[in-house]
Amino acid sequence: MAAIEIIGLEKTYSVGFWRKRPKRALLPLQLAVEEGEIFGFLGPNGAGKTTTLKLLMGLVFPTSGSARILGMEWSDPRVKAQIGFLPEQPYFYDYLTARELLEYYAQLSGVPAKDRRPRVEAVLHRVGLPDVGGVQLRKFSKGMLQRVGIAQAILHEPRVVFLDEPMSGLDPMGRREVRDLMEQLKHEGKTVFFSTHILADAEALCDRVAIIHLGELRGVGVVADLTSSVHGRVEMVWQGTVVPLSIRALGAECHVTGDTVRAVLAEENQDAAIETLRREHLRLISVIPVRASLEDYFVQKLKPEEKMAGVTA
Amino acid sequence: MSGRIVHIASNTFREAVRDRVLYNLIAFALLLSGAAILVGQISIDIEKLVVINLGLTAVSLFGVVIAIFIGIGLVSKEIEKRTLYTVLSRPVRRWEFIVGKFFGLAGTLVVNTFFMAIGVFGALLYVAHRFNKPDAWVLVALYFIILQFLMICALGLLFSSFSSPLLSAVFAFALFVIGSFAEDLRGFAAMAHGVSRWLATGAAYLVPNFSALNVISSVAHEQAVSGQLIWYNTGYALLYAAMALCGAVLIFEHRDLK
Ligand SMILES: Nc1ncnc2c1ncn2[C@@H]1O[C@H](COP(=O)(O)OP(=O)(O)OP(=O)(O)O)[C@@H](O)[C@H]1O
Ligand SMILES: [Mg+2]
C-alpha cells in the first residue's frame, strides 16, 4: 500500500490586492510514496515544495485534486493522528517551555496521559535537547527551534512524517544527527517524506526522490537512475603547463597547478582529448570518471532560462 | 465535544497570564482606589453614586480594551506567526480551535472581571463603610458587563478570521461604540420611511445591543433590575455570541492559511 498517494493535486493562488492575478504554485501533481521509504522532494526555491506539504496538511485548500494517506482519504480526521509535520522555519508559542509545548502537543495528538511525560523526555533526548526542556522557547536559537520542530513531529510516534527542509538552520553536527534520526525512523518502519534543495542530503538519504520545478514534476526515481540519465564527465590530469587549444575547444574546464594540468570535460570527448595529448607528446597521468550527481541532473535538466524564474516570478 | 477544546482553552488562558495581560489589574486597582479617596473627600451624599458609576464604567472599558486586544491578537497572531501549522496538522478540527480560543479568552475575561469587581466593592466599602442590600444590583451590572465581553470576544474572533488585526480592532471597537447606542439607532430607524426604513432597521438590529446591557447608571441610583431583563439579556448575548462564533468558524473553515 502506498503511504502517500497524491492524485492530481493542484494549487493556484490569487495574488495582488486590487486586481487579482492567478499564480500557479503547483500544477496537477501525481505521486506515490511507498510505506517505509525515505522520499526526497527536491526543487529550487519557489518550486512548490512547501505548497505541496501545506496542501497535504490541509493548511491550504487545493484548486483541484486529492490525496490519500495510509489508504485513508486525506481529510479523514483519523489520518492526522498518524502523521507528523515539521513546517518550514517553525515557530512555536514562545511563552511556553519546550517541555510544556511538547506536552500540549501530546495532549492534542491524543497521547494517553500516563505516557506523555516519558514520551516528552525521550523525544527531547532524541533531538539533542535533554537539558533545555525547562527553558522558554523565546530563548531558543534557530537551530534549537528546528530541533523542537523535529521533536514535535515525531512525538506521537506517527507512521508518516512530513518534514519541510529538516536540515535548515542546523550546524554540521545537527545535520548529521537529523540524518541519523531519519534513518532510524526508516528502520522503525516509518515513512519519511521530506523537502530540500540540498542535493547532498537527498543523495545520502533517499530511497527515491521527486524533482519539482516551477510547480511541475520533472522526474521521479531512485537517485542513481536519475543521475545515470545525465551525461557523465571525466577528470583528466597530465604533466605540463600547456593546454592545447583543441582541448579547450572541447569545452574542458582547465586548471594549471605546478607542473600538472587538471581538466574536466564531457565523457564523450574523452577519446578526442587523449588523441590530442598523444599528438602533442604530453604525458597523461590519470583519467577518472566523475560520478554524475543530482547537481548535474539539476544543471542539465532545468533549462537555463528557467533557473532563476522561480525566484523572480 | 472533546478534551482538545479544553486543552486549547487552557493554553489560551495560560498565554494571557504569561503575556501579563492581567497586570492591567494593578493599574485598575490603583486608579480606582485613588478615585475613591478623591471622591470621598469632595462629594457628600453622592459618593456611592459616583463610585459605582465610575467603577463599573472603568471595569467595562478596561475589559473591552482587553477583550478586543487579546481577542483579535489570538487568532491572527497564530496565523501570522504560523504557530497554527503544528496545531492544525494534529487531530484538531478548525472549529475546535476557534471554540477553544473563545472559551480560553472568556475565562481570562471572567477572571479579570472578578478581580476588578473586588476593587469596585473595596472602593464602595471605603466610601460607604458598609454594604446595603441594593449593592447586590452591582453584581447584576457586572454580570451584564461580562455578557458584553463574550459578545465582543466572539466578534473579535469573527473579524480576525478574515481581516488584518488592525482592521479587526477598528471594526470591533466601532461596533462597541455603535452598539452602545443601539436603542437610539432603533429609534432613528423607526422614524425613516420606505426602503431606507427597512435597511436602517435591519442595520440597527444587526449591531450588538450593548445599551440594553448597560445598567450602570440605574444601578448607581439603587434601582432594581427586572428578572425579565436578566433573562432577556442572557439569552440575547449568548445567542449573539454563538452566531458570531459560527460566522467565524464558517469563514475560518474554508480559508487558506498564509
Ligand atoms: N500564499 C501565497 N500566495 C501567493 N503565492 C504563493 C503563496 N505561497 C506560495 N506562493 C508562490 O508559490 C510558489 C511556490 O512556493 P513554495 O513556497 O511552495 O516554494 P518552495 O518550493 O517551498 O520554495 P523554498 O525552497 O524557497 O522554500 C512560489 O512562486 C510562491 O511565490
Ligand atoms: Mg519551502
Side-chain angles (χ1 to χ4, degrees), chain A residues 11 54 58-61 77 80 87-89 91-93 95-96 100 104-105 107-109 152 156, chain B residues 7-8 11 14-15 18 78 81-83 85-91 94 253 255-258:
Chain A
K11 179 68 184 176
K54 280 165 75 177
L59 299 171
V60 299
F61 295 97
K80 295 283 179 70
E88 184 174 46
Q89 296 166 0
Y91 188 83
F92 304 103
Y93 303 106
Y95 53 90
L96 297 181
E100 286 169 337
Y104 176 48
Y105 281 166
Q107 290 173 338
L108 293 183
S109 286
Q152 62 81 35
H156 47 295
Chain B
H7 296 313
I8 292 171
N11 189 49
R14 180 162 59 176
E15 171 172 11
R18 299 232 174 130
E78 298 234 2
K81 293 192 170 174
R82 293 180 288 128
T83 46
Y85 284 17
T86 40
V87 173
L88 293 184
S89 58
R90 291 173 195 283
R94 290 190 178 196
E253 285 280 350
R255 68 167 283 185
D256 281 350
L257 297 181
K258 190 176 74 89

Side-chain angles (χ1 to χ4, degrees), chain B residues 143 147 150-151 233-243:
Chain B
Y143 171 64
L147 289 180
L150 295 186
M151 291 163 71
N233 275 347
T234 304
Y236 175 79
L238 294 187
L239 201 67
Y240 199 97
M243 302 269 273

Side-chain angles (χ1 to χ4, degrees), chain A residues 103-207:
Chain A
E103 270 174 24
Y104 176 48
Y105 281 166
Q107 290 173 338
L108 293 183
S109 286
V111 176
K114 65 172 181 9
D115 296 344
R116 279 177 211 149
R117 264 290 154 114
R119 277 287 177 87
V120 168
E121 294 309 320
V123 85
L124 278 171
H125 230 274
R126 199 163 176 192
V127 298
L129 297 172
D131 305 324
V132 291
V135 177
Q136 275 197 339
L137 291 164
R138 68 175 89 234
K139 295 178 187 145
F140 273 43
S141 72
K142 187 170 64 165
M144 287 160 83
L145 279 179
Q146 185 77 9
R147 287 165 190 252
V148 173
I150 292 167
Q152 62 81 35
I154 59 173
L155 167 73
H156 47 295
E157 306 195 334
R159 282 169 65 195
V160 186
V161 184
F162 296 86
L163 308 169
D164 199 351
E165 301 195 20
M167 322 281 186
S168 86
L170 295 176
D171 56 25
M173 275 300 291
R175 302 168 81 95
R176 181 56 175 275
E177 286 164 23
V178 171
R179 273 192 202 179
D180 291 347
L181 192 134
M182 285 164 77
E183 258 158 10
Q184 283 166 25
L185 288 173
K186 181 189 154 103
H187 284 300
E188 293 164 17
K190 312 259 157 80
T191 310
V192 181
F193 181 89
F194 78 106
S195 83
T196 183
H197 39 75
I198 301 167
L199 303 167
D201 288 339
E203 281 191 295
L205 270 171
C206 293
D207 297 302

Side-chain angles (χ1 to χ4, degrees), chain B residues 176-225:
Chain B
F176 172 69
V177 174
I178 296 171
S180 301
F181 297 103
E183 305 267 339
D184 300 332
L185 275 183
R186 291 176 189 189
F188 290 142
M191 286 189 282
H193 297 284
V195 181
S196 56
R197 179 178 180 144
W198 288 107
L199 288 177
T201 311
Y205 279 87
L206 201 61
V207 298
N209 185 356
F210 289 134
S211 45
L213 284 160
N214 186 343
V215 290
I216 293 176
S217 74
S218 69
V219 162
H221 286 99
E222 305 200 340
Q223 285 164 5
V225 181

Side-chain angles (χ1 to χ4, degrees), chain B residues 243-257:
Chain B
M243 302 269 273
L245 217 52
C246 282
V249 166
L250 281 179
I251 296 171
F252 192 63
E253 285 280 350
H254 295 108
R255 68 167 283 185
D256 281 350
L257 297 181

